[in-house]
Amino acid sequence: MAKEIIVRPARNLSGSIRLPGDKSISHRYAMLGAIADGTTTLENFSTGADCASTLGCLKALGVTWERKANRVLIHGHGPKLQPPSAPLDCGNSGSTMRMLSGILAGQQFASALAGDESLSRRPMARVIAPLEMMGARISAADGAKPPLRISGGRLRAIDYKLPVASAQVKTAVLFAGLFASGETRVEEPVRTRDHGELALRAFGAEVKQKGNEVRIMGSHKLHAIEATVPGDLSSAAFFLCAAALFPGSQLILSHLGMNPTRSFLLDLLAGMGLRISVTQLEETHGELVGTVQANGGELRGATIQNPQTATLIDEIPVLAAIAPYTTDGIEIRDARELRVKESDRIAAMATNLQTMGAVVEEREDGLKILGGQTLRGAEIDSQGDHRIAMAFAIAALRAEGETLIRGADAAVISYPGFFEVLDSVVER
Ligand code: S3P
């Protein structure tokens, strides 16, 4: 993919798209398939480089799998994996490093996990603390940053209150809970995506959920599953927000994941004026899937704060990108976590929006972006962050003049075909 891409303004958006498989679900199904008995078949597996990092790590742990286009077959190795001969390469993927740590904590060997420059800056104390309480020994670089070295072994069940809302950490503790004797209990400050809980149940684990609390029974055998991964709503967000920019737009997104812990974006955009209807709703392995039809209308503003911020966390960059074009602007609060994503997304959004001429107030835990603004095409830097690259492709559609996105190739992390698909639904 080209490192630099020029995006020209659009007149409208129209067409039909099927999104690649959800990244969060693909990681979890692959990891659980690896420690299950039998062969797991996954259709519409995420095409993103992040999920390929997970598959690469699993291979290094002795798991065999085959991939033909978006179909992945994972030959379950059972709960005991093989010691890797080199540090596991998690690439850019925080999900790989954090969630796999939960499984490695329960292995009778030592392993190391490393990542790229961006991942090497990301906080890992949040996953180290609970896994050490369970009995693993973990060392990290200064500031609890990667690389991690995990000496696993027999684990004990814990009762853990997460200090930060993180579905990755919740999932890591639940995965470790599989290897502990007794019941592990996790409580989160706000409810985050529950793909881990649903996937564990689909693979045969005993998981109970009530309010913000999840419990898992240890020492359970997992069995393989056959699944089609729902389309990724966080990738769909770029197209839905693009559709929201043009009153005449008509977009159909089929086989889209609509898990209620992820789908607040649809309610938010509907409240802002996008006309949305959902058909063909069905449930697969506990995950809701449906077809979304979106028609552009007005574009009012919104205030996003917890608990919504936590559930919208990956969609905030693109919401910020369309904010100047809304009538009332968008205010984002309680979003400090965005500073420790693949980039400091609050700073990246503020800087790039300002480069396009927008008035933006950057706050420690969010952004306030005024509505009714006219943006001009400019040179944007993705800062190597996939969601920043894609968000500014959307902002560019309503700007005056062309926008050059540097580091556009970062999109491969979650959505390799993004720019081509965008071109196919944009009318100029
Ligand atoms: C994810 C959880 C979120 C999200 C990330 C995927 C997951 O991260 O931003 O893209 O699959 O559990 P945190 O757990 O750090 O909030």
Side-chain angles (χ1 to χ4, degrees), residues 2-34:
K3 278 193 182 330
E4 290 180 1
I5 280 184
I6 289 178
V7 183
R8 287 177 292 117
R11 208 165 30 83
N12 209 354
L13 218 94
S14 129
S16 186
I17 304 174
R18 179 164 175 172
L19 276 302
D22 186 86
K23 185 159 88 70
S24 295
I25 299 175
S26 297
H27 283 299
R28 286 162 171 87
Y29 282 178
M31 290 182 198
L32 293 177

PDB file of all heavy atoms in Angstrom, residues 2-34:
ATOM      1  N   ALA A   2       0.403   2.289  -0.721  1.00  0.00           N
ATOM      2  CA  ALA A   2       1.191   3.529  -0.808  1.00  0.00           C
ATOM      3  C   ALA A   2       1.317   4.188   0.567  1.00  0.00           C
ATOM      4  O   ALA A   2       0.383   4.178   1.354  1.00  0.00           O
ATOM      5  CB  ALA A   2       0.509   4.482  -1.784  1.00  0.00           C
ATOM      6  N   LYS A   3       2.492   4.754   0.805  1.00  0.00           N
ATOM      7  CA  LYS A   3       2.718   5.420   2.092  1.00  0.00           C
ATOM      8  C   LYS A   3       1.958   6.740   2.171  1.00  0.00           C
ATOM      9  O   LYS A   3       1.620   7.217   3.232  1.00  0.00           O
ATOM     10  CB  LYS A   3       4.209   5.697   2.263  1.00  0.00           C
ATOM     11  CG  LYS A   3       5.001   4.503   2.771  1.00  0.00           C
ATOM     12  CD  LYS A   3       6.360   5.003   3.190  1.00  0.00           C
ATOM     13  CE  LYS A   3       7.340   3.985   3.697  1.00  0.00           C
ATOM     14  NZ  LYS A   3       6.883   2.835   4.363  1.00  0.00           N
ATOM     15  N   GLU A   4       1.756   7.355   0.982  1.00  0.00           N
ATOM     16  CA  GLU A   4       1.052   8.637   0.946  1.00  0.00           C
ATOM     17  C   GLU A   4      -0.145   8.504   0.030  1.00  0.00           C
ATOM     18  O   GLU A   4      -0.033   7.928  -1.050  1.00  0.00           O
ATOM     19  CB  GLU A   4       1.966   9.728   0.395  1.00  0.00           C
ATOM     20  CG  GLU A   4       3.073  10.067   1.346  1.00  0.00           C
ATOM     21  CD  GLU A   4       3.988  11.148   0.807  1.00  0.00           C
ATOM     22  OE1 GLU A   4       3.739  11.640  -0.311  1.00  0.00           O
ATOM     23  OE2 GLU A   4       4.939  11.485   1.522  1.00  0.00           O
ATOM     24  N   ILE A   5      -1.260   9.051   0.460  1.00  0.00           N
ATOM     25  CA  ILE A   5      -2.468   8.965  -0.357  1.00  0.00           C
ATOM     26  C   ILE A   5      -3.115  10.336  -0.415  1.00  0.00           C
ATOM     27  O   ILE A   5      -3.131  11.070   0.589  1.00  0.00           O
ATOM     28  CB  ILE A   5      -3.421   7.883   0.217  1.00  0.00           C
ATOM     29  CG1 ILE A   5      -2.921   6.519  -0.257  1.00  0.00           C
ATOM     30  CG2 ILE A   5      -4.878   8.109  -0.189  1.00  0.00           C
ATOM     31  CD1 ILE A   5      -3.740   5.346   0.110  1.00  0.00           C
ATOM     32  N   ILE A   6      -3.610  10.677  -1.601  1.00  0.00           N
ATOM     33  CA  ILE A   6      -4.330  11.955  -1.739  1.00  0.00           C
ATOM     34  C   ILE A   6      -5.822  11.666  -1.729  1.00  0.00           C
ATOM     35  O   ILE A   6      -6.298  10.771  -2.447  1.00  0.00           O
ATOM     36  CB  ILE A   6      -3.908  12.674  -3.031  1.00  0.00           C
ATOM     37  CG1 ILE A   6      -2.468  13.181  -2.858  1.00  0.00           C
ATOM     38  CG2 ILE A   6      -4.864  13.820  -3.366  1.00  0.00           C
ATOM     39  CD1 ILE A   6      -1.889  13.875  -4.049  1.00  0.00           C
ATOM     40  N   VAL A   7      -6.549  12.379  -0.896  1.00  0.00           N
ATOM     41  CA  VAL A   7      -8.005  12.215  -0.851  1.00  0.00           C
ATOM     42  C   VAL A   7      -8.645  13.529  -1.318  1.00  0.00           C
ATOM     43  O   VAL A   7      -8.359  14.590  -0.773  1.00  0.00           O
ATOM     44  CB  VAL A   7      -8.484  11.847   0.574  1.00  0.00           C
ATOM     45  CG1 VAL A   7      -9.998  11.616   0.582  1.00  0.00           C
ATOM     46  CG2 VAL A   7      -7.754  10.603   1.085  1.00  0.00           C
ATOM     47  N   ARG A   8      -9.494  13.386  -2.331  1.00  0.00           N
ATOM     48  CA  ARG A   8     -10.174  14.573  -2.868  1.00  0.00           C
ATOM     49  C   ARG A   8     -11.584  14.684  -2.281  1.00  0.00           C
ATOM     50  O   ARG A   8     -12.164  13.682  -1.868  1.00  0.00           O
ATOM     51  CB  ARG A   8     -10.255  14.470  -4.408  1.00  0.00           C
ATOM     52  CG  ARG A   8      -8.885  14.695  -5.066  1.00  0.00           C
ATOM     53  CD  ARG A   8      -8.937  14.532  -6.574  1.00  0.00           C
ATOM     54  NE  ARG A   8      -9.185  13.158  -6.969  1.00  0.00           N
ATOM     55  CZ  ARG A   8     -10.258  12.748  -7.634  1.00  0.00           C
ATOM     56  NH1 ARG A   8     -11.206  13.587  -8.000  1.00  0.00           N
ATOM     57  NH2 ARG A   8     -10.409  11.473  -7.942  1.00  0.00           N
ATOM     58  N   PRO A   9     -12.131  15.890  -2.275  1.00  0.00           N
ATOM     59  CA  PRO A   9     -13.477  16.080  -1.722  1.00  0.00           C
ATOM     60  C   PRO A   9     -14.512  15.231  -2.478  1.00  0.00           C
ATOM     61  O   PRO A   9     -14.318  14.920  -3.649  1.00  0.00           O
ATOM     62  CB  PRO A   9     -13.753  17.574  -1.934  1.00  0.00           C
ATOM     63  CG  PRO A   9     -12.421  18.191  -2.159  1.00  0.00           C
ATOM     64  CD  PRO A   9     -11.520  17.147  -2.717  1.00  0.00           C
ATOM     65  N   ALA A  10     -15.576  14.879  -1.806  1.00  0.00           N
ATOM     66  CA  ALA A  10     -16.623  14.059  -2.410  1.00  0.00           C
ATOM     67  C   ALA A  10     -17.925  14.851  -2.450  1.00  0.00           C
ATOM     68  O   ALA A  10     -18.085  15.875  -1.776  1.00  0.00           O
ATOM     69  CB  ALA A  10     -16.819  12.798  -1.594  1.00  0.00           C
ATOM     70  N   ARG A  11     -18.845  14.331  -3.253  1.00  0.00           N
ATOM     71  CA  ARG A  11     -20.166  14.947  -3.405  1.00  0.00           C
ATOM     72  C   ARG A  11     -21.192  14.137  -2.625  1.00  0.00           C
ATOM     73  O   ARG A  11     -22.158  14.625  -2.107  1.00  0.00           O
ATOM     74  CB  ARG A  11     -20.512  14.907  -4.901  1.00  0.00           C
ATOM     75  CG  ARG A  11     -21.403  15.958  -5.418  1.00  0.00           C
ATOM     76  CD  ARG A  11     -21.371  16.039  -6.957  1.00  0.00           C
ATOM     77  NE  ARG A  11     -21.102  14.790  -7.660  1.00  0.00           N
ATOM     78  CZ  ARG A  11     -22.020  13.866  -7.948  1.00  0.00           C
ATOM     79  NH1 ARG A  11     -23.272  14.021  -7.591  1.00  0.00           N
ATOM     80  NH2 ARG A  11     -21.684  12.769  -8.609  1.00  0.00           N
ATOM     81  N   ASN A  12     -20.903  12.846  -2.549  1.00  0.00           N
ATOM     82  CA  ASN A  12     -21.895  11.947  -1.972  1.00  0.00           C
ATOM     83  C   ASN A  12     -21.265  10.579  -1.704  1.00  0.00           C
ATOM     84  O   ASN A  12     -20.143  10.322  -2.130  1.00  0.00           O
ATOM     85  CB  ASN A  12     -23.037  11.774  -2.984  1.00  0.00           C
ATOM     86  CG  ASN A  12     -24.335  11.500  -2.289  1.00  0.00           C
ATOM     87  OD1 ASN A  12     -24.363  11.331  -1.066  1.00  0.00           O
ATOM     88  ND2 ASN A  12     -25.403  11.451  -3.047  1.00  0.00           N
ATOM     89  N   LEU A  13     -22.015   9.726  -1.043  1.00  0.00           N
ATOM     90  CA  LEU A  13     -21.536   8.371  -0.782  1.00  0.00           C
ATOM     91  C   LEU A  13     -22.662   7.405  -1.089  1.00  0.00           C
ATOM     92  O   LEU A  13     -23.789   7.619  -0.620  1.00  0.00           O
ATOM     93  CB  LEU A  13     -21.207   8.264   0.708  1.00  0.00           C
ATOM     94  CG  LEU A  13     -19.986   7.441   1.011  1.00  0.00           C
ATOM     95  CD1 LEU A  13     -18.810   8.408   1.109  1.00  0.00           C
ATOM     96  CD2 LEU A  13     -20.147   6.733   2.329  1.00  0.00           C
ATOM     97  N   SER A  14     -22.379   6.379  -1.854  1.00  0.00           N
ATOM     98  CA  SER A  14     -23.453   5.439  -2.122  1.00  0.00           C
ATOM     99  C   SER A  14     -22.874   4.076  -2.474  1.00  0.00           C
ATOM    100  O   SER A  14     -21.842   3.969  -3.139  1.00  0.00           O
ATOM    101  CB  SER A  14     -24.331   6.027  -3.231  1.00  0.00           C
ATOM    102  OG  SER A  14     -24.545   5.138  -4.245  1.00  0.00           O
ATOM    103  N   GLY A  15     -23.499   3.021  -1.968  1.00  0.00           N
ATOM    104  CA  GLY A  15     -23.038   1.681  -2.286  1.00  0.00           C
ATOM    105  C   GLY A  15     -23.255   0.710  -1.153  1.00  0.00           C
ATOM    106  O   GLY A  15     -23.899   1.009  -0.146  1.00  0.00           O
ATOM    107  N   SER A  16     -22.671  -0.456  -1.364  1.00  0.00           N
ATOM    108  CA  SER A  16     -22.881  -1.557  -0.440  1.00  0.00           C
ATOM    109  C   SER A  16     -21.513  -2.158  -0.091  1.00  0.00           C
ATOM    110  O   SER A  16     -20.677  -2.344  -0.977  1.00  0.00           O
ATOM    111  CB  SER A  16     -23.752  -2.567  -1.189  1.00  0.00           C
ATOM    112  OG  SER A  16     -24.123  -3.576  -0.355  1.00  0.00           O
ATOM    113  N   ILE A  17     -21.282  -2.412   1.174  1.00  0.00           N
ATOM    114  CA  ILE A  17     -19.964  -2.894   1.609  1.00  0.00           C
ATOM    115  C   ILE A  17     -20.135  -4.065   2.566  1.00  0.00           C
ATOM    116  O   ILE A  17     -21.016  -4.064   3.411  1.00  0.00           O
ATOM    117  CB  ILE A  17     -19.194  -1.782   2.388  1.00  0.00           C
ATOM    118  CG1 ILE A  17     -19.042  -0.509   1.566  1.00  0.00           C
ATOM    119  CG2 ILE A  17     -17.824  -2.267   2.842  1.00  0.00           C
ATOM    120  CD1 ILE A  17     -18.435   0.645   2.349  1.00  0.00           C
ATOM    121  N   ARG A  18     -19.225  -5.033   2.450  1.00  0.00           N
ATOM    122  CA  ARG A  18     -19.142  -6.043   3.502  1.00  0.00           C
ATOM    123  C   ARG A  18     -17.791  -5.852   4.196  1.00  0.00           C
ATOM    124  O   ARG A  18     -16.737  -5.930   3.548  1.00  0.00           O
ATOM    125  CB  ARG A  18     -19.264  -7.451   2.926  1.00  0.00           C
ATOM    126  CG  ARG A  18     -19.148  -8.450   4.054  1.00  0.00           C
ATOM    127  CD  ARG A  18     -19.620  -9.825   3.732  1.00  0.00           C
ATOM    128  NE  ARG A  18     -19.318 -10.665   4.894  1.00  0.00           N
ATOM    129  CZ  ARG A  18     -19.710 -11.890   5.047  1.00  0.00           C
ATOM    130  NH1 ARG A  18     -20.440 -12.455   4.116  1.00  0.00           N
ATOM    131  NH2 ARG A  18     -19.392 -12.581   6.125  1.00  0.00           N
ATOM    132  N   LEU A  19     -17.834  -5.586   5.484  1.00  0.00           N
ATOM    133  CA  LEU A  19     -16.611  -5.253   6.220  1.00  0.00           C
ATOM    134  C   LEU A  19     -15.795  -6.500   6.546  1.00  0.00           C
ATOM    135  O   LEU A  19     -16.359  -7.576   6.753  1.00  0.00           O
ATOM    136  CB  LEU A  19     -16.981  -4.570   7.540  1.00  0.00           C
ATOM    137  CG  LEU A  19     -17.241  -3.060   7.522  1.00  0.00           C
ATOM    138  CD1 LEU A  19     -16.019  -2.313   6.998  1.00  0.00           C
ATOM    139  CD2 LEU A  19     -18.453  -2.695   6.731  1.00  0.00           C
ATOM    140  N   PRO A  20     -14.471  -6.365   6.628  1.00  0.00           N
ATOM    141  CA  PRO A  20     -13.655  -7.493   7.084  1.00  0.00           C
ATOM    142  C   PRO A  20     -14.031  -7.871   8.516  1.00  0.00           C
ATOM    143  O   PRO A  20     -14.636  -7.079   9.236  1.00  0.00           O
ATOM    144  CB  PRO A  20     -12.229  -6.952   7.052  1.00  0.00           C
ATOM    145  CG  PRO A  20     -12.266  -5.600   6.460  1.00  0.00           C
ATOM    146  CD  PRO A  20     -13.681  -5.162   6.355  1.00  0.00           C
ATOM    147  N   GLY A  21     -13.647  -9.064   8.909  1.00  0.00           N
ATOM    148  CA  GLY A  21     -14.018  -9.581  10.223  1.00  0.00           C
ATOM    149  C   GLY A  21     -13.515  -8.702  11.357  1.00  0.00           C
ATOM    150  O   GLY A  21     -12.452  -8.090  11.270  1.00  0.00           O
ATOM    151  N   ASP A  22     -14.314  -8.669  12.406  1.00  0.00           N
ATOM    152  CA  ASP A  22     -14.000  -7.847  13.576  1.00  0.00           C
ATOM    153  C   ASP A  22     -12.628  -8.238  14.152  1.00  0.00           C
ATOM    154  O   ASP A  22     -12.335  -9.412  14.368  1.00  0.00           O
ATOM    155  CB  ASP A  22     -15.099  -8.069  14.615  1.00  0.00           C
ATOM    156  CG  ASP A  22     -14.941  -7.158  15.792  1.00  0.00           C
ATOM    157  OD1 ASP A  22     -15.439  -6.041  15.728  1.00  0.00           O
ATOM    158  OD2 ASP A  22     -14.285  -7.560  16.773  1.00  0.00           O
ATOM    159  N   LYS A  23     -11.841  -7.206  14.426  1.00  0.00           N
ATOM    160  CA  LYS A  23     -10.477  -7.420  14.911  1.00  0.00           C
ATOM    161  C   LYS A  23     -10.503  -8.013  16.327  1.00  0.00           C
ATOM    162  O   LYS A  23      -9.790  -8.966  16.614  1.00  0.00           O
ATOM    163  CB  LYS A  23      -9.768  -6.048  14.889  1.00  0.00           C
ATOM    164  CG  LYS A  23      -8.325  -6.054  15.238  1.00  0.00           C
ATOM    165  CD  LYS A  23      -7.648  -4.800  14.695  1.00  0.00           C
ATOM    166  CE  LYS A  23      -7.700  -3.607  15.640  1.00  0.00           C
ATOM    167  NZ  LYS A  23      -6.868  -3.739  16.833  1.00  0.00           N
ATOM    168  N   SER A  24     -11.317  -7.443  17.188  1.00  0.00           N
ATOM    169  CA  SER A  24     -11.373  -7.921  18.585  1.00  0.00           C
ATOM    170  C   SER A  24     -11.795  -9.384  18.646  1.00  0.00           C
ATOM    171  O   SER A  24     -11.236 -10.174  19.406  1.00  0.00           O
ATOM    172  CB  SER A  24     -12.384  -7.098  19.392  1.00  0.00           C
ATOM    173  OG  SER A  24     -11.956  -5.774  19.500  1.00  0.00           O
ATOM    174  N   ILE A  25     -12.795  -9.735  17.844  1.00  0.00           N
ATOM    175  CA  ILE A  25     -13.306 -11.106  17.875  1.00  0.00           C
ATOM    176  C   ILE A  25     -12.294 -12.057  17.229  1.00  0.00           C
ATOM    177  O   ILE A  25     -12.050 -13.161  17.729  1.00  0.00           O
ATOM    178  CB  ILE A  25     -14.686 -11.190  17.176  1.00  0.00           C
ATOM    179  CG1 ILE A  25     -15.693 -10.296  17.916  1.00  0.00           C
ATOM    180  CG2 ILE A  25     -15.190 -12.624  17.116  1.00  0.00           C
ATOM    181  CD1 ILE A  25     -17.059 -10.198  17.237  1.00  0.00           C
ATOM    182  N   SER A  26     -11.675 -11.636  16.125  1.00  0.00           N
ATOM    183  CA  SER A  26     -10.700 -12.502  15.445  1.00  0.00           C
ATOM    184  C   SER A  26      -9.552 -12.880  16.385  1.00  0.00           C
ATOM    185  O   SER A  26      -9.166 -14.053  16.458  1.00  0.00           O
ATOM    186  CB  SER A  26     -10.148 -11.805  14.198  1.00  0.00           C
ATOM    187  OG  SER A  26     -11.179 -11.576  13.262  1.00  0.00           O
ATOM    188  N   HIS A  27      -9.010 -11.893  17.110  1.00  0.00           N
ATOM    189  CA  HIS A  27      -7.925 -12.203  18.065  1.00  0.00           C
ATOM    190  C   HIS A  27      -8.375 -13.270  19.070  1.00  0.00           C
ATOM    191  O   HIS A  27      -7.665 -14.227  19.356  1.00  0.00           O
ATOM    192  CB  HIS A  27      -7.576 -10.971  18.911  1.00  0.00           C
ATOM    193  CG  HIS A  27      -6.754  -9.923  18.243  1.00  0.00           C
ATOM    194  ND1 HIS A  27      -5.495 -10.152  17.755  1.00  0.00           N
ATOM    195  CD2 HIS A  27      -6.983  -8.589  18.054  1.00  0.00           C
ATOM    196  CE1 HIS A  27      -5.000  -9.006  17.279  1.00  0.00           C
ATOM    197  NE2 HIS A  27      -5.879  -8.056  17.436  1.00  0.00           N
ATOM    198  N   ARG A  28      -9.543 -13.035  19.630  1.00  0.00           N
ATOM    199  CA  ARG A  28     -10.012 -13.925  20.707  1.00  0.00           C
ATOM    200  C   ARG A  28     -10.293 -15.329  20.182  1.00  0.00           C
ATOM    201  O   ARG A  28      -9.924 -16.319  20.818  1.00  0.00           O
ATOM    202  CB  ARG A  28     -11.247 -13.317  21.372  1.00  0.00           C
ATOM    203  CG  ARG A  28     -10.896 -12.122  22.279  1.00  0.00           C
ATOM    204  CD  ARG A  28     -12.128 -11.280  22.559  1.00  0.00           C
ATOM    205  NE  ARG A  28     -11.911 -10.258  23.571  1.00  0.00           N
ATOM    206  CZ  ARG A  28     -11.429  -9.030  23.328  1.00  0.00           C
ATOM    207  NH1 ARG A  28     -11.087  -8.683  22.104  1.00  0.00           N
ATOM    208  NH2 ARG A  28     -11.301  -8.164  24.320  1.00  0.00           N
ATOM    209  N   TYR A  29     -10.967 -15.434  19.029  1.00  0.00           N
ATOM    210  CA  TYR A  29     -11.270 -16.755  18.475  1.00  0.00           C
ATOM    211  C   TYR A  29      -9.958 -17.493  18.144  1.00  0.00           C
ATOM    212  O   TYR A  29      -9.848 -18.695  18.364  1.00  0.00           O
ATOM    213  CB  TYR A  29     -12.121 -16.634  17.207  1.00  0.00           C
ATOM    214  CG  TYR A  29     -13.606 -16.353  17.428  1.00  0.00           C
ATOM    215  CD1 TYR A  29     -14.456 -16.193  16.329  1.00  0.00           C
ATOM    216  CD2 TYR A  29     -14.160 -16.268  18.702  1.00  0.00           C
ATOM    217  CE1 TYR A  29     -15.822 -15.948  16.497  1.00  0.00           C
ATOM    218  CE2 TYR A  29     -15.529 -16.020  18.870  1.00  0.00           C
ATOM    219  CZ  TYR A  29     -16.343 -15.848  17.767  1.00  0.00           C
ATOM    220  OH  TYR A  29     -17.688 -15.609  17.922  1.00  0.00           O
ATOM    221  N   ALA A  30      -8.984 -16.761  17.610  1.00  0.00           N
ATOM    222  CA  ALA A  30      -7.720 -17.420  17.251  1.00  0.00           C
ATOM    223  C   ALA A  30      -7.016 -17.940  18.509  1.00  0.00           C
ATOM    224  O   ALA A  30      -6.538 -19.084  18.546  1.00  0.00           O
ATOM    225  CB  ALA A  30      -6.821 -16.447  16.497  1.00  0.00           C
ATOM    226  N   MET A  31      -6.962 -17.117  19.542  1.00  0.00           N
ATOM    227  CA  MET A  31      -6.258 -17.541  20.764  1.00  0.00           C
ATOM    228  C   MET A  31      -6.964 -18.707  21.436  1.00  0.00           C
ATOM    229  O   MET A  31      -6.320 -19.653  21.897  1.00  0.00           O
ATOM    230  CB  MET A  31      -6.150 -16.362  21.748  1.00  0.00           C
ATOM    231  CG  MET A  31      -5.181 -15.283  21.271  1.00  0.00           C
ATOM    232  SD  MET A  31      -5.044 -13.946  22.485  1.00  0.00           S
ATOM    233  CE  MET A  31      -4.335 -12.659  21.441  1.00  0.00           C
ATOM    234  N   LEU A  32      -8.284 -18.649  21.494  1.00  0.00           N
ATOM    235  CA  LEU A  32      -9.008 -19.741  22.155  1.00  0.00           C
ATOM    236  C   LEU A  32      -8.978 -21.001  21.294  1.00  0.00           C
ATOM    237  O   LEU A  32      -8.866 -22.114  21.818  1.00  0.00           O
ATOM    238  CB  LEU A  32     -10.444 -19.316  22.477  1.00  0.00           C
ATOM    239  CG  LEU A  32     -10.534 -18.208  23.548  1.00  0.00           C
ATOM    240  CD1 LEU A  32     -11.983 -17.778  23.772  1.00  0.00           C
ATOM    241  CD2 LEU A  32      -9.912 -18.664  24.870  1.00  0.00           C
ATOM    242  N   GLY A  33      -9.049 -20.823  19.971  1.00  0.00           N
ATOM    243  CA  GLY A  33      -8.939 -21.977  19.070  1.00  0.00           C
ATOM    244  C   GLY A  33      -7.610 -22.691  19.283  1.00  0.00           C
ATOM    245  O   GLY A  33      -7.527 -23.923  19.219  1.00  0.00           O
ATOM    246  N   ALA A  34      -6.563 -21.909  19.565  1.00  0.00           N
ATOM    247  CA  ALA A  34      -5.217 -22.476  19.752  1.00  0.00           C
ATOM    248  C   ALA A  34      -5.141 -23.372  20.982  1.00  0.00           C
ATOM    249  O   ALA A  34      -4.425 -24.372  20.981  1.00  0.00           O
ATOM    250  CB  ALA A  34      -4.198 -21.341  19.879  1.00  0.00           C
TER     251      ALA A  34
END
